Amino acid sequence: MKKVECIIKPFKLDDVKNAITEMGISGMTVSEVRGFGRQKGHTELYRGAEYQVDFLPKIKLDLVVTDEQVQAIVEAVQKEACTGRIGDGKIFVSDVEQSVRIRTGESGPDSL
Amino acid sequence: MKKVECIIKPFKLDDVKNAITEMGISGMTVSEVRGFGRQKGHTELYRGAEYQVDFLPKIKLDLVVTDEQVQAIVEAVQKEACTGRIGDGKIFVSDVEQSVRIRTGESGPDSL
Amino acid sequence: MKKVECIIKPFKLDDVKNAITEMGISGMTVSEVRGFGRQKGHTELYRGAEYQVDFLPKIKLDLVVTDEQVQAIVEAVQKEACTGRIGDGKIFVSDVEQSVRIRTGESGPDSL
Amino acid sequence: MLQRAKAAYLGLAVGDALGATTEFMTPNEIRAKYKIHRKIIGGGWLYLKPGQVTDDTQMSLAIGRALLSAKRWDLAGIADQFLVWMKSKPIDIGSTCRRGIRNYMLTGQLETPYNDGDAGNGAAMRMAPVALFSLGDEKVMERYALEQAHLTHNHPFSDAACLTVGKMVQRALLGANRFELHELTRDLVDHHGNFRFNKYSGNATAYVVDTLQTVFHYLFSTASFEECLIGVVNQGGDADTTGAIAGMIAGGFYGLDDIPNRWLKKLNREVRAEVEAQALHLVRLSPWAARN
Ligand SMILES: Nc1ncnc2c1ncn2[C@@H]1O[C@H](COP(=O)(O)OP(=O)(O)O)[C@@H](O)[C@H]1O
Ligand SMILES: Nc1ncnc2c1ncn2[C@@H]1O[C@H](COP(=O)(O)OP(=O)(O)O)[C@@H](O)[C@H]1O
Ligand SMILES: Nc1ncnc2c1ncn2[C@@H]1O[C@H](COP(=O)(O)OP(=O)(O)O)[C@@H](O)[C@H]1O
Ligand SMILES: [Mg+2]
Ligand SMILES: [Mg+2]
């Protein structure tokens, strides 16, 4: 099994979620994060001084999927989340050794 | 070392935390996330139209533990976090290659 | 490629971020988490009763870097985030099998 | 006969819509909230509108669409319809069904490998269109039942359940009496003793053994379609599916006139229309129709 971790622009969440649910993905876990990279934040006025907002809001989507699904998922997310402008985000794939569905105790790919 | 990542229902945090601290786990890192899966959110009225709340609040617990502790921890979390109703969550185990305690620079299982 | 996951005290974010950007790290993803460990929270008065605040605010920094950069990054973060007092945090290193830059579809170390 | 076929298929939809309200509840919780749940009111864990159906009816309709468009048994067509259905963002999909459909999407395989975890009721709940399409030829029904089941569920208990449910629906349509239907359950219990239901445990989970015990207990201890379904859905557990399976057998057995009109009227109009149309066309394509 693999974890596909996607950092995307917040307004892309619905498009990405719809694209992956159509591929039979049973679920995902989402968190609000802030990204720092080449994309610059805007400047803000605070107590009379202008300063750079460095960390931009992003959405992090974690999906654990079976090995066979990884490539299709990575391609679908990249296609859906891409605007072509700096700051679109990243997709990282890493190995998951065990998975358990808490409700039933099932484990392995059947628990996904 | 392994990372045991648990997505659980928020009201289960204390029970799960108590169960794992009783097993001698020294620390954990917790974040608020939102889950999407078979469990439905309630419907909400927005601008006169009813829509389904898709993403439900969950708690994500990350514990890095030694290889020998993994099975006992996975079983304890599953038992404690389980209500038997859809949406109880998942446990994912993945490999951690290095660990460092920032305060002392110690590394390896002793740093956990 | 490796993911270097750093749990640090919130006021250390700027120091750590500056240290790693000086090493040529192009980006990172940051989230607010809460930590539970040997560091005790303070007690708070709530409805007339004193209780222990167990989970303390921490910042989690995720940086995906090339294999060659890992040791230097780990040392820099540890040095910068360390205050010598309990609760300074942890650094965990794990393997990343694939990485994609969403904007361009580039993959591998070039996408970082 | 056409009326009985409609009654079986409508029984499935009515049981699904009625039971969905009490799915995953315990009998005590149902009693506390509804005293006796006997109206189609939607709600439930899926927040349904009154008369809305779930995967039990939708997957059955998918099978019907494949068979009616091919006018012959078409397993790949059924798999394709399941895939179209999965992509349509249905209100719910069971995890075993989802895995099977996903496996078909990724590999094109029309049979999922054997799995201990496949002893759920997700294949048995789809038996109505299969029974209607193969009415008049039990051997053919058996072949079709196992082929469609193995798209998602590959386990001897699920297989046995599909065959028994299919036979009961068909024989009910062909005029079997209560004792003849009971005999079919005794065959099942002979082969798999764990399906025995004469000391009913009250478990109504999605484990196919619990599901059929619940269905058979209420089917044989009540005397009307309404009484049977009310008994089943107030047992909670996987109530929409126990309701659907009880509904298809009881519907076929008691006939259309015995299905409460108030339930039929509450059923979603489009679902009701398609169920009725499929029932008629499926029977007209069956071996029974060819002979009559
Ligand atoms: N090395 C990295 N490790 C972890 N997250 C990163 C890394 N580099 C970038 N990111 C994340 O990806 C986002 C986009 O990166 P950025 O450099 O702004 O644009 P682009 O990916 O289009 O070149 C950042 O805001 C951050 O959340
Ligand atoms: N494939 C997945 N990857 C990551 N997180 C998931 C995945 N599937 C489910 N989850 C998480 O687990 C939670 C529970 O999943 P859900 O499908 O609602 O119920 P259950 O696990 O009881 O079948 C979701 O809200 C989500 O946070
Ligand atoms: N086993 C662990 N797994 C994940 N995070 C941990 C673990 N142990 C500690 N942490 C994180 O590190 C922080 C500091 O740990 P703590 O035990 O308080 O101090 P120290 O690391 O200085 O001994 C915790 O607040 C928590 O966020
Ligand atoms: Mg259902
Ligand atoms: Mg059900």
Side-chain angles (χ1 to χ4, degrees):
Chain A
M1 293 164 290
K2 304 293 177 194
K3 175 195 267 199
V4 181
E5 182 175 1
C6 317
I7 317 281
I8 63 176
K9 285 171 170 158
F11 70 89
K12 280 289 184 177
L13 177 59
D14 280 350
D15 294 336
V16 171
K17 168 182 148 251
N18 291 337
I20 51 194
T21 42
E22 275 187 19
M23 302 177 73
I25 295 309
S26 53
M28 66 193 79
T29 300
V30 162
S31 42
E32 294 172 7
V33 296
R34 289 180 289 148
F36 177 78
R38 293 166 58 192
Q39 180 186 16
K40 293 294 160 246
H42 55 275
T43 52
E44 280 189 4
L45 214 53
Y46 182 65
R47 303 190 177 185
E50 221 181 43
Y51 72 104
Q52 186 77 25
V53 169
D54 269 344
F55 284 96
L56 292 159
K58 302 287 174 193
I59 287 279
K60 175 155 99 79
L61 233 109
D62 283 339
L63 347 157
V64 178
V65 302
T66 59
D67 295 1
E68 303 77 36
Q69 293 179 296
V70 177
Q71 283 333 312
I73 294 289
V74 170
E75 282 170 35
V77 175
Q78 188 273 327
K79 183 155 160 295
E80 217 47 58
C82 180
T83 67
R85 310 172 95 128
I86 291 212
D88 277 351
K90 303 279 191 248
I91 303 170
F92 301 123
V93 180
S94 55
D95 192 55
V96 172
E97 301 179 346
Q98 287 186 51
S99 166
V100 174
R101 186 192 306 272
I102 289 177
R103 164 168 58 97
T104 58
E106 280 169 288
S107 59
D110 291 350
S111 68
L112 295 176
Chain B
M1 294 163 288
K2 303 294 176 194
K3 174 196 269 199
V4 181
E5 182 176 2
C6 318
I7 318 278
I8 63 176
K9 283 172 169 157
F11 67 81
K12 282 288 185 176
L13 178 59
D14 281 350
D15 295 337
V16 171
K17 170 182 145 248
N18 293 337
I20 45 196
T21 42
E22 276 179 21
M23 302 178 74
I25 295 305
S26 48
M28 66 193 79
T29 299
V30 163
S31 42
E32 294 171 8
V33 296
R34 288 178 290 151
F36 177 77
R38 256 181 98 187
Q39 180 187 16
K40 297 287 165 253
H42 54 277
T43 50
E44 281 189 3
L45 214 53
Y46 183 65
R47 303 188 179 188
E50 221 180 43
Y51 72 101
Q52 190 79 34
V53 168
D54 269 345
F55 284 96
L56 293 157
K58 301 287 173 193
I59 287 279
K60 177 156 100 77
L61 235 108
D62 282 339
L63 346 159
V64 179
V65 302
T66 60
D67 295 4
E68 303 74 37
Q69 294 174 306
V70 178
Q71 282 332 313
I73 293 288
V74 170
E75 281 169 37
V77 173
Q78 189 271 327
K79 184 156 162 294
E80 215 48 55
C82 180
T83 68
R85 309 180 101 125
I86 294 206
D88 277 349
K90 303 277 192 249
I91 302 170
F92 301 124
V93 180
S94 54
D95 193 54
V96 172
E97 301 179 345
Q98 290 187 50
S99 166
V100 173
R101 186 191 307 272
I102 290 178
R103 166 167 56 94
T104 59
E106 281 167 287
S107 59
D110 294 343
S111 69
L112 295 176
Chain C
M1 294 163 289
K2 303 293 176 194
K3 175 196 266 199
V4 181
E5 182 176 2
C6 318
I7 316 281
I8 63 177
K9 283 171 170 158
F11 65 80
K12 281 289 184 176
L13 176 60
D14 280 349
D15 295 337
V16 171
K17 170 183 147 246
N18 292 337
I20 46 194
T21 41
E22 276 180 22
M23 302 178 72
I25 294 309
S26 47
M28 66 193 78
T29 299
V30 162
S31 41
E32 293 171 8
V33 296
R34 289 178 289 150
F36 176 79
R38 295 166 56 192
Q39 180 186 15
K40 290 295 159 242
H42 54 275
T43 52
E44 279 189 4
L45 212 55
Y46 181 65
R47 302 188 178 187
E50 222 180 41
Y51 73 103
Q52 186 77 23
V53 169
D54 269 347
F55 285 98
L56 293 158
K58 302 287 175 193
I59 287 278
K60 176 155 99 78
L61 236 108
D62 283 339
L63 345 159
V64 178
V65 302
T66 60
D67 297 2
E68 303 75 35
Q69 295 174 306
V70 178
Q71 284 331 314
I73 293 290
V74 170
E75 282 169 36
V77 174
Q78 188 272 329
K79 183 155 162 294
E80 215 48 56
C82 180
T83 68
R85 312 172 97 125
I86 291 210
D88 276 351
K90 304 279 193 250
I91 302 170
F92 302 123
V93 180
S94 55
D95 192 54
V96 172
E97 302 179 345
Q98 288 186 50
S99 166
V100 172
R101 185 192 308 272
I102 290 178
R103 164 168 57 93
T104 59
E106 280 168 287
S107 57
D110 293 344
S111 68
L112 296 176
Chain D
M1 169 60 78
L2 293 180
Q3 294 298 82
R4 276 189 182 278
K6 262 209 248 168
Y9 211 156
L10 283 171
L12 152 71
V14 163
D16 186 2
L18 185 68
T21 303
T22 52
E23 190 180 11
F24 297 137
M25 293 173 74
T26 64
N28 284 338
E29 290 172 336
I30 298 171
R31 218 178 336 265
K33 184 161 187 186
Y34 302 110
K35 292 226 185 40
I36 299 183
H37 171 53
R38 51 185 351 151
K39 295 212 207 101
I40 292 187
I41 53 173
W45 76 287
L46 293 173
Y47 302 100
L48 297 172
K49 299 198 177 55
Q52 198 176 342
V53 293
T54 77
D55 48 340
D56 306 68
T57 306
Q58 291 176 344
M59 290 190 85
S60 299
L61 289 174
I63 293 179
R65 282 176 203 154
L67 299 182
L68 292 179
S69 107
K71 304 238 179 340
R72 60 176 174 75
W73 183 251
D74 179 8
L75 189 61
I78 292 176
D80 285 338
Q81 284 296 330
F82 282 174
L83 188 52
V84 164
W85 170 72
M86 182 174 81
K87 295 191 180 208
S88 71
K89 296 207 184 59
I91 190 88
D92 187 34
I93 308 185
S95 49
T96 308
C97 284
R98 181 190 285 280
R99 272 206 316 278
I101 300 174
R102 196 166 67 207
N103 182 49
Y104 171 68
M105 181 176 74
L106 292 173
T107 66
Q109 286 176 333
L110 292 173
E111 176 166 18
T112 190
Y114 168 80
N115 189 336
D116 273 347
D118 281 3
N121 56 22
M125 73 191 192
R126 313 192 290 249
M127 281 304 300
V130 179
L132 298 188
F133 185 67
S134 57
L135 185 65
D137 188 338
E138 251 180 34
K139 280 274 152 277
V140 137
M141 182 276 291
E142 294 189 350
R143 196 191 109 216
Y144 293 169
L146 296 184
E147 283 190 12
Q148 73 84 18
H150 291 176
L151 285 173
T152 59
H153 287 67
N154 191 336
H155 190 287
F157 294 169
S158 164
D159 289 351
C162 289
L163 297 182
T164 302
V165 170
K167 285 197 188 119
M168 289 175 78
V169 171
Q170 288 190 336
R171 294 210 195 160
L173 260 49
L174 294 171
N177 64 33
R178 191 179 284 277
F179 302 104
E180 290 165 322
L181 289 189
H182 194 270
E183 204 172 319
L184 291 172
T185 71
R186 292 206 299 277
D187 286 342
L188 173 65
V189 168
D190 279 343
H191 281 109
H192 300 280
N194 45 358
F195 279 96
R196 190 178 312 274
F197 59 97
N198 51 357
K199 288 209 176 53
Y200 179 50
S201 66
N203 291 336
T205 74
Y207 174 43
V208 76
V209 174
D210 289 347
T211 294
L212 286 205
Q213 288 174 336
T214 302
V215 169
F216 296 156
H217 169 75
Y218 285 104
L219 188 63
F220 293 109
S221 61
T222 58
S224 71
F225 179 91
E226 177 171 5
E227 229 190 314
C228 172
L229 253 57
I230 290 180
V232 165
V233 303
N234 281 277
Q235 198 63 43
D238 197 10
D240 63 327
T241 306
T242 51
I245 296 178
M248 72 176 88
I249 300 175
F253 180 65
Y254 291 110
L256 199 50
D257 292 342
D258 212 44
I259 301 186
N261 218 6
R262 69 180 191 278
W263 286 350
L264 288 175
K265 298 230 300 276
K266 272 284 186 202
L267 205 50
N268 172 286
R269 280 181 205 287
E270 291 171 3
V271 167
R272 179 177 175 181
E274 187 172 11
V275 163
E276 293 182 345
Q278 280 199 5
L280 296 184
H281 294 309
L282 287 170
V283 170
R284 288 199 185 120
L285 289 173
S286 70
W288 177 88
R291 291 201 292 277
N292 298 344

